C-alpha cells in the first residue's frame, strides 16, 4: 500500500486529563497555604509569596525591596551568609530569592528525603535574618555595580524606559524593581529592617507548596517552624491613576548599536474574569504564538527580525499592552509601520479560522501547563497574585470554549489601539533620526537610559 | 538509583533510522525528539553557519506541508516545537497531547524525506534575513556578545571545526545559495544519520506501527566520511584585547581539555562547581564575596565530540584591573594545589549534581533529549545511572591532577574593555 502523505493525520481518540486538586489551609499564625500533591518524583517545591514588591518602595528609596530580597539570605539564625549557602548545597537543595513590582518570592526546591532540614533552613531565613551592616553593605555595593551593568543591555533599557513612559512618574509601576543608584545610596540597613518588619509577615504572605507531601505533614511541620512568626495586622493597598497621551516616540541613543529595540504599547485593564479570556484569544491571533499575525508579518514575510510578539501584561493592580521586537537599523521605521498596521487591522475583525485556531491552541495546551513542579507552582502563584477564584482552573476550559468571534472583536475594539501609543526605540540615534522624522509617527522625545527626557 | 534506571526500547528501521521509545503516562502528552548527527563541526571555513541556517529551513515546509503550516499544525494541536544546532548535532522536537502523535510523526518524516522539492529561493532569502537578525540581536548587539567567538577562534587552529561559532559569520550567512542548502541536506540528513526518541504517553505497538508507516520509505543516503580531528594544543599563551560597548572590564581564560565522556570530563565539571558554582565556591567566595574585586565569576567546561575546553570568566568591579583578577585566579589555583580540597566541598558538589539529575526528570522534553544525547555519545540511552556514577567516582586526587594536566598548559587570555578606554 502506498502511503498518501498529502492527508494530514487527525486523532481518533480523546485524551483524559485530570486536574490536580488544590488544597487550601491556614497555619496557626494565619499564613495561607496553597498545596498541590504531586508524587511523580521525590521532590518538594515551596514558594513564599510576600506582598512586598517594589511598588511599595518609598519615593526617594527606589530599590529598597529588591535590596531586602538581596540581603535576606545573607545570614539568619545561627548561620552566617556562607553557612546558609553551604547548608542548602549539602542538601542538594535549590534556594533563591527574587522580587518584582508586586512581590518578593522565596523559593525552595528539595528532594523529599531532605525536606525537614531544608524547610528548617528556609524558615530560618524567613523569620530570623541578621541584616548585619557588613552583609548589607556588600549587597548594596553589588547592586550599585549591577545597575551600572544594566546600561549595557539594550533590551533591559527598552523595558525600563517603556515602563517609565507608560505609567508616568506618579505611578509605582513606572520604576524599575532594581531601583536607581542615587536612591540606593540613600538606603540604610535600618530601612531594610523596618521594611522587613512591616511587610514580611504571615498575614501579608502566601505559601505555595507542590510535591511529595501530605496536608497533615505540612501543617505539622510548618506550624512548628513558623509558629513564632507573628502577624502585624497591617494591610497594604495602593491607589494611583494611569496617564493617557498622544503618540510619542521615546528615543534612547545607544551609539554603535547594530539592531534597534522596539517597544510599543499603552496601559490596559488589569486582570479580571470578565475580559481575560477574550483578550487571551485576541492576543493569540495578534501576537502570541509563532504563527500569530505580527510575527508572521515581521519575520516570515518581511524578514525584519528574529521574532516579534505582543502581549497583555498583568500586574496585580494594573495592566498594559506591549509589542516587542528587535530589528535591523535600516528597517526600524518599516517595522513600526507594519506593527501599527497590524493594530489597525485587528480592529477590523478576525476570521472564523483564526478563532478556531486560537481556541484549539489554548485549550489543547492546557494539560502540559501542569507538567513540572515549577509550572504547577507558578499556576498557583498566578492565582495568588490576581486573587483568582478557587475554581479558576476547573472552569478555565469552559471559559475559553465560550469565547465567540463577537467577543474577540469586541475585545479588539476595547483593548487594541493604534493611537495614543508610547513607542520606545533604543538604538543608534544618528542613524535612526532621518527615518523617524520622515515617517512622522509622532513627536520624538530623546530620553536617557531610565526614561527621563533629555533634550526636546 | 532505581529512579534513574529507565525502561526503554531501542531498534533500527531498515533505512538505518534509530528509534527509542520511552513511556511515561503521568500526563496525556507525548514528545518526539530527533537528533541528526551533524552540526557546525561539519562546516568549512567560508561556509560557517550552514548547519544552523539549515535548521531554520527545516521549519519552512516540505512537499506535503506548505510554508508556515509546520508551526500551525502543531500549535493547533496545542503543542510546542523548536530545534537547535550545536557543534555536534542538530535536534528537532515537539510536544503535543498524546492523541496527536501521528501528526508529529507525519510532519517529521515529511521534512526528513521530502524536503528538497519544497525548497525555494524566496524561503531561503527570507530565512537568511531572519538568521542575520538573529545573529545581530543575540551576538553583535549583546554586551560581551562577540567574546565567545573571539575566544574559540583563538583557542583552536583555523580549520578546526570548533574554531567558529555555530551561528556563523555574517558574511557567510548572507552568501548561502539553494545549492549549499541542498547539498548539506543530501550529505547529512539521512535517516541512517538520525535517531528518533518518542517519549511520554503512547501505546508502544501503535508507536512502532506509525514509525514504520511514516519513516520506513525514506531512503538512506551514502554515508559521509566521519571527521578525523587531531587534538588541538596551544604552543604558547595568547593575549587578546577586545573593545566593546560595556561598562565593566571582563577577563576570559581558556584552556584545552578533552572530549565529552573522556576520562577527566566529569572531574572537570565538578571543578567548575568547586570554583564558581555557589557562594562558598573558591573563586566566588574570594573574588566576589570577600574581596569584592569581581562582580561575578563563572567557570565553564565545554566537552563535545571532537574536543573540550575549560573557561574562567570574571567581571571586574569598577576600578579593578583585569591583571589583578588574573593573579588572584591563578593564586587560588596554587592554593588548591598546595592545600588540597576538603571532602565536604566535594560532597556538596556531588549532592548538587545528584539532586540535579532528579530535578531534570520533571520534564518529558528534557528526558527525551537526554536519551538521544546518551544514545549519541554512549550508544546507550539508559545511561543516567552510569552518568551519575561518573561524578560519584571523582576523588580529590582526580581534581588535583586537573591543574597539572590542563590548567598549567598554555591558555588564551581575552580582555574585553570599554570602548572609551585607551
Amino acid at each position: 500500500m502506498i502511503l498518501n502523505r498529502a492527508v494530514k493525520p487527525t486523532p481518533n481518540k480523546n485524551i483524559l486529563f485530570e486536574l490536580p486538586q488544590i488544597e487550601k489551609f491556614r497555619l496557626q499564625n494565619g499564613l495561607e497555604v496553597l498545596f498541590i500533591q504531586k508524587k511523580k518524583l521525590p521532590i518538594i517545591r515551596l514558594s513564599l509569596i510576600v506582598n512586598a514588591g517594589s511598588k511599595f518602595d518609598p519615593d526617594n528609596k527606589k530599590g529598597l525591596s529588591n535590596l531586602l530580597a538581596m540581603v535576606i539570605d545573607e545570614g539568619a539564625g545561627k548561620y552566617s551568609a556562607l553557612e546558609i549557602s553551604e547548608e542548602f548545597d549539602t542538601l542538594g537543595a535549590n534556594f533563591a530569592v527574587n522580587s518584582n513590582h508586586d512581590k518578593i518570592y522565596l523559593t525552595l526546591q528539595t528532594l523529599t528525603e531532605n525536606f525537614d532540614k531544608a524547610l528548617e533552613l528556609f524558615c530560618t531565613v524567613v523569620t530570623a535574618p541578621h541584616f548585619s551592616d557588613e552583609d548589607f553593605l556588600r549587597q548594596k555595593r553589588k547592586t550599585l555595580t549591577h545597575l551600572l551593568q544594566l546600561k549595557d543591555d539594550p533590551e533591559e533599557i527598552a523595558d525600563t524606559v517603556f515602563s517609565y513612559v507608560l505609567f508616568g512618574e506618579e505611578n509605582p509601576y513606572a520604576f524599575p524593581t532594581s531601583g536607581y543608584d542615587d536612591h540606593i545610596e540613600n538606603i540604610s540597613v535600618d530601612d531594610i529592617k523596618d521594611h522587613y518588619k512591616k511587610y514580611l509577615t504571615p498575614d501579608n504572605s502566601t505559601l505555595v507548596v507542590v510535591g511529595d507531601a501530605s496536608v497533615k505533614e505540612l501543617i505539622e511541620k510548618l506550624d512548628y517552624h513558623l509558629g513564632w512568626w507573628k502577624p502585624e495586622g497591617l494591610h497594604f493597598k495602593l491607589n494611583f491613576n494611569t496617564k493617557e497621551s498622544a503618540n510619542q516616540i521615546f528615543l534612547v541613543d545607544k551609539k554603535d548599536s547594530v539592531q534597534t529595540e522596539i517597544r510599543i504599547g499603552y496601559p490596559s485593564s488589569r486582570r479580571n474574569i470578565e475580559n481575560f479570556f477574550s483578550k487571551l484569544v485576541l492576543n493569540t491571533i495578534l501576537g502570541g504564538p509563532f504563527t500569530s499575525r505580527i510575527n508572521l508579518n515581521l519575520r516570515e514575510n518581511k524578514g525584519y527580525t528574529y521574532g516579534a510578539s505582543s502581549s497583555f501584561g498583568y500586574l496585580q493592580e494594573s495592566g498594559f499592552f506591549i509589542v516587542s521586537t528587535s530589528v535591523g537599523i535600516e528597517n526600524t521605521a518599516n517595522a513600526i509601520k507594519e506593527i501599527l498596521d497590524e493594530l489597525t487591522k485587528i480592529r477590523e475583525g478576525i476570521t472564523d479560522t483564526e478563532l478556531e485556531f486560537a481556541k484549539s491552541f489554548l485549550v489543547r495546551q492546557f494539560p502540559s501547563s501542569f507538567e513540572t513542579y515549577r509550572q504547577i507552582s507558578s499556576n498557583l502563584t498566578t492565582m495568588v497574585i490576581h486573587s483568582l477564584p478557587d475554581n479558576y482552573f476547573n472552569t478555565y476550559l469552559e471559559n475559553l470554549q465560550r469565547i465567540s468571534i463577537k467577543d474577540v472583536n469586541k475585545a479588539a475594539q476595547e483593548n487594541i489601539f493604534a493611537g495614543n501609543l508610547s513607542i520606545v526605540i533604543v538604538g543608534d540615534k544618528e542613524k535612526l533620526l532621518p527615518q523617524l522624522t520622515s515617517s512622522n509617527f509622532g513627536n520624538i522625545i530623546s530620553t536617557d537610559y531610565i526614561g527621563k527626557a533629555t533634550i526636546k | 538509583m532505581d529512579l534513574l534506571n529507565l525502561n526503554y526500547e531501542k531498534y533500527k528501521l531498515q533505512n538505518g533510522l534509530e528509534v527509542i521509545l520511552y513511556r511515561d503516562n503521568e500526563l496525556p502528552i507525548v514528545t518526539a525528539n530527533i537528533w541528526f548527527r551533524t552540526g557546525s563541526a561539519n562546516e568549512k571555513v567560508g561556509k560557517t553557519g550552514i548547519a544552523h541556517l539549515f535548521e531554520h529551513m527545516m521549519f519552512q515546509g516540505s512537499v506535503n506541508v506548505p510554508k508556515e503550516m509546520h508551526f500551525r499544525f502543531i500549535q493547533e494541536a496545542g503543542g510546542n516545537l523548536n530545534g537547535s544546532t550545536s557543534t555536534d548535532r542538530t535536534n528537532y522536537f515537539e510536544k503535543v497531547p498524546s492523541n496527536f502523535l501521528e501528526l508529529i510523526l507525519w510532519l517529521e518524516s515529511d521534512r526528513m524525506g521530502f524536503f528538497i522539492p519544497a525548497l525555494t529561493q524566496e524561503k531561503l532569502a527570507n530565512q537568511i534575513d531572519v538568521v542575520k537578525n538573529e545573529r545581530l540581536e543575540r551576538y553583535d548587539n549583546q554586551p560581551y556578545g562577540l567574546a565567545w567567538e573571539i575566544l574559540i577562534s583563538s583557542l583552536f587552529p583555523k580549520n578546526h571545526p570548533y574554531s567558529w561559532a555555530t551561528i556563523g559569520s555574517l558574511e557567510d550567512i548572507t552568501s548561502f545559495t539553494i545549492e549549499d542548502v541542498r547539498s548539506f541536506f543530501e550529505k547529512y540528513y539521512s535517516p541512517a544519520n538520525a535517531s528518533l526518541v518518542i517519549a511520554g504517553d503512547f501505546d508502544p505497538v501503535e508507536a512502532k506501527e506509525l514509525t514504520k508507516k511514516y519513516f520506513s520509505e525514506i531512503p538512506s543516503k551514502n554515508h559521509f566520511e566521519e571527521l578525523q580531528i587531531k587534538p588541538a594544543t596551544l604552543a604558547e599563551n595568547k593575549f587578546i584585547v577586545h573593545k566593546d560597548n560595556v561598562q565593566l572590564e571582563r577577563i576570559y581564560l581558556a584552556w584545552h581539555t578533552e572530549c565529552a565522556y573522556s576520562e577527566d570530563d566529569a572531574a572537570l565539571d565538578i571543578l567548575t562547581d568547586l570554583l564558581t558554582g555557589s557562594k562558598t565556591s573558591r573563586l566566588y567566595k574570594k573574588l566576589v564575596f570577600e574581596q569584592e574585586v569581581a562582580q561575578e565569576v563563572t567557570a565553564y567546561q565545554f566537552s563535545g565530540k571532537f574536543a573540550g575546553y575549560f573557561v574562567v570568566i570574571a567581571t571586574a568591579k569598577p576600578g579593578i584591573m583585569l591583571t589583578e583578577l588574573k593573579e588572584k585566579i591563578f593564586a587560588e589555583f596554587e592554593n588548591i594545589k598546595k592545600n588540597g580540597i576538603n571532602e565536604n566541598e566535594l560532597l556538596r558538589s556531588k549532592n548538587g549534581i545528584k539532586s540535579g539529575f532528579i530535578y531534570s526528570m520533571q520534564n518529558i522534553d528534557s528526558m527525551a533529549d537526554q536519551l538521544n544525547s546518551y544514545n549519541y555519545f554512549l550508544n546507550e540511552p539508559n545511561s543516567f545511572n552510569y552518568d551519575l556514577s561518573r561524578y560519584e567516582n571523582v576523588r580529590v586526587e582526580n581534581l588535583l591532577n586537573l591543574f597539572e594536566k590542563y590548567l598549567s598548559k598554555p591558555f588564551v587570555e581575552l580582555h574585553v574593555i570599554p570602548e572609551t578606554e585607551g
Side-chain angles (χ1 to χ4, degrees):
Chain A
M1 196 185 77
I2 291 179
L3 176 62
N4 181 5
R5 289 186 171 268
V7 184
K8 181 180 81 142
T10 46
N12 52 10
K13 56 179 188 232
N14 288 321
I15 53 160
L16 264 179
F17 170 59
E18 218 175 305
L19 196 65
Q21 175 99 29
I22 304 172
E23 308 275 357
K24 217 171 174 176
F25 53 91
R26 274 184 197 280
L27 302 183
Q28 282 165 12
N29 62 8
L31 177 68
E32 187 179 56
V33 183
L34 269 67
F35 168 56
I36 286 182
Q37 189 181 56
K38 187 175 170 74
K39 291 197 150 181
K40 184 184 184 197
L41 294 167
I43 293 174
I44 298 177
R45 190 179 173 94
L46 191 125
S47 188
L48 186 74
I49 307 163
V50 188
N51 187 33
S54 63
K55 66 186 176 190
F56 296 110
D57 287 352
D59 281 343
N60 59 345
K61 289 177 181 167
K62 299 297 177 198
L64 177 59
S65 88
N66 178 59
L67 196 49
L68 167 60
M70 297 263 306
V71 78
I72 192 167
D73 63 336
E74 299 289 307
K78 61 181 178 188
Y79 308 105
S80 72
L82 292 178
E83 282 163 355
I84 289 176
S85 162
E86 207 167 279
E87 294 288 324
F88 277 124
D89 290 346
T90 305
L91 301 172
N94 301 340
F95 173 74
V97 190
N98 297 293
S99 66
N100 61 22
H101 281 97
D102 287 318
K103 309 287 179 186
I104 290 176
Y105 305 87
L106 294 97
T107 305
L108 171 71
Q109 178 169 268
T110 174
L111 296 181
T112 311
E113 62 185 26
N114 295 327
F115 181 55
D116 285 352
K117 280 185 178 166
L119 182 67
E120 187 205 324
L121 273 170
F122 179 89
C123 294
T124 305
V125 171
V126 173
T127 57
H130 293 165
F131 299 127
S132 79
D133 285 346
E134 192 192 346
D135 293 324
F136 165 71
L137 289 171
R138 184 184 59 250
Q139 295 304 87
K140 180 170 164 172
R141 288 188 292 265
K142 189 165 186 190
T143 305
L144 287 168
T145 310
H146 177 66
L147 286 180
L148 203 60
Q149 284 181 295
L150 293 184
K151 293 181 182 172
D152 293 341
D153 185 347
E155 291 167 39
E156 188 75 34
I157 297 167
D159 291 334
T160 302
V161 173
F162 181 74
S163 297
Y164 187 80
V165 299
L166 184 80
F167 289 113
E169 268 205 332
E170 306 296 309
N171 188 314
Y173 285 122
F175 302 95
T177 297
S178 49
Y180 295 137
D181 47 10
D182 50 337
H183 289 223
I184 286 168
E185 299 283 5
N186 280 336
I187 297 171
S188 71
V189 72
D190 288 334
D191 293 326
I192 298 281
K193 288 177 185 165
D194 290 346
H195 211 69
Y196 167 80
K197 193 169 179 306
K198 193 166 155 196
Y199 289 98
L200 256 102
T201 63
D203 46 343
N204 196 39
S205 307
T206 308
L207 186 70
V208 161
V209 186
V210 179
D212 184 11
S214 70
V215 174
K216 184 169 168 286
E217 176 194 2
L218 281 174
I219 292 182
E220 263 170 35
K221 289 179 178 167
L222 290 166
D223 270 337
Y224 179 75
H225 287 297
L226 292 173
W228 55 289
W229 189 38
K230 290 291 176 235
E232 291 283 321
L234 296 169
H235 293 281
F236 307 101
K237 188 93 187 113
L238 289 169
N239 289 307
F240 48 81
N241 298 317
T242 47
K243 56 157 207 169
E244 275 202 18
S245 64
N247 258 10
Q248 279 182 321
I249 295 192
F250 299 90
L251 177 57
V252 189
D253 185 20
K254 195 149 190 340
K255 206 171 140 28
D256 300 328
S257 290
V258 294
Q259 287 273 104
T260 311
E261 286 291 329
I262 301 175
R263 304 287 182 273
I264 298 178
Y266 45 82
S268 181
S269 59
R270 48 172 294 199
R271 187 156 172 162
N272 62 75
I273 212 79
E274 290 77 40
N275 68 11
F276 174 77
F277 290 94
S278 55
K279 282 168 76 177
L280 179 62
V281 173
L282 169 66
N283 189 64
T284 301
I285 296 164
L286 177 62
F290 188 92
T291 46
S292 60
R293 289 184 181 191
I294 290 177
N295 189 57
L296 285 189
N297 181 351
L298 269 72
R299 172 179 154 135
E300 294 295 284
N301 186 7
K302 301 291 189 312
Y304 292 160
T305 176
Y306 179 53
S309 66
S310 69
S311 63
F312 288 105
Y314 294 108
L315 299 156
Q316 189 172 7
E317 296 169 75
S318 192
F320 58 92
F321 174 75
I322 183 169
V323 183
S324 3
T325 188
S326 166
V327 301
I329 301 172
E330 70 283 8
N331 290 316
T332 304
N334 292 336
I336 295 171
K337 187 183 162 297
E338 291 301 326
I339 292 167
L340 300 188
D341 284 353
E342 290 296 348
L343 300 184
T344 308
K345 255 192 269 169
I346 195 114
R347 287 173 56 88
E348 291 158 11
I350 60 154
T351 65
D352 284 321
T353 318
E354 286 181 312
L355 178 74
E356 286 318 309
F357 170 81
K359 282 165 69 171
S360 174
F361 171 68
L362 294 167
V363 166
R364 287 175 168 149
Q365 75 170 3
F366 185 64
S368 68
S369 64
F370 288 86
E371 190 184 5
T372 65
Y373 290 67
R374 177 199 289 268
Q375 281 176 307
I376 297 173
S377 174
S378 125
N379 289 339
L380 292 176
T381 303
T382 302
M383 287 182 75
V384 172
I385 296 174
H386 301 291
S387 310
L388 301 177
D390 288 352
N391 67 351
Y392 175 73
F393 288 110
N394 306 81
T395 54
Y396 183 90
L397 293 177
E398 285 162 50
N399 279 325
L400 261 178
Q401 297 286 18
R402 198 180 304 142
I403 301 298
S404 67
I405 197 159
K406 232 178 101 187
D407 296 327
V408 179
N409 287 337
K410 182 166 172 269
Q413 289 301 316
E414 290 172 357
N415 298 287
I416 300 295
F417 307 104
N420 296 349
L421 306 169
S422 296
I423 303 175
V424 172
I425 297 173
V426 181
D428 194 321
K429 183 176 173 179
E430 208 179 289
K431 292 180 191 149
L432 290 171
L433 262 183
Q435 287 181 55
L436 294 174
T437 34
S438 65
S439 320
N440 213 8
F441 294 121
N443 194 14
I444 301 173
I445 299 164
S446 292
T447 84
D448 62 12
Y449 285 1
I450 56 177
K452 292 194 199 282
T454 46
I455 20 168
K456 193 81 185 171
Chain B
M1 219 188 302
D2 280 353
L3 195 60
L4 295 178
N5 187 19
L6 302 192
N7 262 319
Y8 75 101
E9 211 177 319
K10 174 176 158 180
Y11 63 98
K12 233 180 217 186
L13 299 184
Q14 281 197 340
N15 58 13
L17 177 69
E18 281 188 297
V19 182
I20 296 158
L21 305 177
Y22 168 63
R23 285 180 80 193
D24 173 350
N25 297 345
E26 168 93 355
L27 284 177
I29 53 181
V30 68
T31 182
N33 179 301
I34 300 189
W35 276 39
F36 287 93
R37 299 180 194 101
T38 184
S40 60
N42 294 112
E43 296 164 353
K44 295 272 173 298
V45 173
K47 299 269 181 198
T48 63
I50 185 72
H52 170 255
L53 178 72
F54 188 85
E55 176 216 319
H56 274 246
M57 295 309 294
M58 282 285 271
F59 290 88
Q60 294 296 308
S62 44
V63 167
N64 298 293
V65 184
K67 179 171 159 100
E68 283 160 23
M69 294 315 280
H70 186 93
F71 285 97
R72 203 174 280 279
F73 289 148
I74 290 171
Q75 294 188 327
E76 196 174 42
N80 57 42
L81 67 159
N82 214 335
S84 75
T85 310
S86 78
T87 50
D88 303 337
R89 59 100 187 111
T90 311
N91 67 1
Y92 299 88
F93 45 94
E94 46 278 315
K95 182 167 70 180
V96 289
S98 44
N99 53 347
F100 282 95
L101 175 62
E102 185 169 359
L103 174 81
I104 57 179
L105 296 180
W106 172 66
L107 287 167
E108 284 297 358
S109 62
D110 211 56
R111 61 183 178 182
M112 185 187 284
F114 310 92
F115 167 78
I116 290 296
L119 180 62
T120 65
Q121 180 57 41
E122 194 188 353
K123 287 178 182 175
L124 177 62
N126 168 249
Q127 288 306 303
I128 285 177
D129 280 343
V130 169
V131 172
K132 248 168 67 183
N133 279 300
E134 178 179 1
R135 185 188 154 104
L136 292 172
E137 179 183 338
R138 294 175 62 179
Y139 300 85
D140 300 65
N141 210 37
Q142 290 296 321
Y144 312 98
L146 297 178
W148 210 257
E149 214 172 13
I150 296 169
L151 198 68
I152 56 175
S153 64
S154 313
L155 187 64
F156 291 101
K158 187 167 184 271
N159 290 308
H160 192 285
Y162 287 175
S163 66
W164 53 84
T166 302
I167 188 79
S169 77
L170 206 54
E171 199 188 341
D172 292 356
I173 293 168
T174 41
S175 76
F176 289 121
T177 62
I178 288 269
E179 184 46 34
D180 290 322
V181 176
R182 203 190 58 78
S183 64
F184 194 80
F185 180 80
E186 292 303 344
K187 190 160 181 193
Y188 297 110
Y189 276 69
S190 167
N193 198 33
S195 55
L196 162 69
V197 171
I198 298 173
D201 176 30
F202 60 88
D203 170 23
V205 176
E206 192 194 346
K208 280 184 210 168
E209 276 168 16
L210 291 174
T211 306
K212 186 168 172 232
K213 176 176 170 186
Y214 287 104
F215 288 92
S216 61
E217 67 175 5
I218 303 170
S220 58
K221 295 164 186 155
N222 290 336
H223 198 67
F224 57 90
E225 211 175 304
E226 289 278 348
L227 284 172
Q228 300 296 328
I229 305 297
K230 278 185 291 185
T233 51
L234 280 176
E236 54 188 13
N237 291 350
K238 280 189 185 175
F239 178 63
I240 304 135
V241 177
H242 171 68
K243 289 186 180 178
D244 196 358
N245 203 349
V246 294
Q247 310 292 319
L248 301 178
E249 300 195 354
R250 185 178 282 179
I251 184 171
Y252 296 73
L253 299 164
W255 294 262
H256 284 291
T257 55
E258 284 179 8
C259 301
Y261 298 97
S262 61
E263 194 191 349
D264 294 316
D265 189 29
L268 285 158
D269 278 343
I270 289 188
L271 184 62
T272 65
D273 192 54
L274 287 173
L275 290 175
T276 65
S278 64
K279 216 178 267 180
T280 54
S281 62
R282 295 301 186 98
L283 291 175
Y284 185 93
K285 186 178 160 192
K286 286 245 159 72
L287 273 59
V288 180
F289 189 90
E290 288 174 356
Q291 302 177 6
E292 295 184 57
V293 287
Q295 175 72 357
E296 56 219 4
V297 60
T298 312
Y300 173 78
Q301 140 86 354
F302 169 85
S303 58
K305 191 174 175 184
F306 303 107
Y309 49 92
F310 191 93
V311 186
V312 177
I313 308 163
T315 309
K317 284 268 197 179
I320 301 294
M321 306 277 285
L322 292 181
T323 46
E324 184 184 339
L325 291 188
K326 181 184 164 189
E327 273 165 31
K328 287 181 190 293
I329 290 165
F330 279 99
E332 188 53 35
F333 287 0
E334 287 307 314
N335 177 34
I336 296 172
K337 273 160 49 184
K338 196 168 147 221
N339 300 313
I341 288 162
N342 186 316
E343 287 292 343
N344 281 333
E345 280 179 280
L346 181 55
L347 182 70
R348 283 201 297 275
S349 276
K350 287 183 179 179
N351 286 352
I353 288 164
K354 184 184 130 199
S355 39
F357 267 83
I358 294 167
Y359 299 150
S360 75
M361 299 180 81
Q362 297 179 41
N363 189 303
I364 196 71
D365 331 16
S366 53
M367 290 296 282
D369 202 55
Q370 194 59 56
L371 287 162
N372 242 334
S373 177
Y374 287 144
N375 185 58
Y376 176 88
F377 284 106
L378 303 166
N379 199 28
E380 170 55 67
N382 181 27
S383 292
F384 292 88
N385 271 322
Y386 163 75
D387 195 11
L388 179 59
S389 73
R390 291 193 310 139
Y391 295 98
E392 286 186 330
N393 292 337
V394 170
R395 287 165 304 150
V396 167
E397 58 261 40
N398 301 131
L399 292 164
L400 296 176
N401 285 340
L402 301 174
F403 290 93
E404 214 42 58
K405 199 165 167 188
Y406 304 103
L407 304 183
S408 59
K409 298 279 159 62
F411 57 89
V412 175
E413 177 178 355
L414 167 66
H415 291 192
V416 179
I417 61 168
E419 250 154 15
T420 44
E421 277 183 29

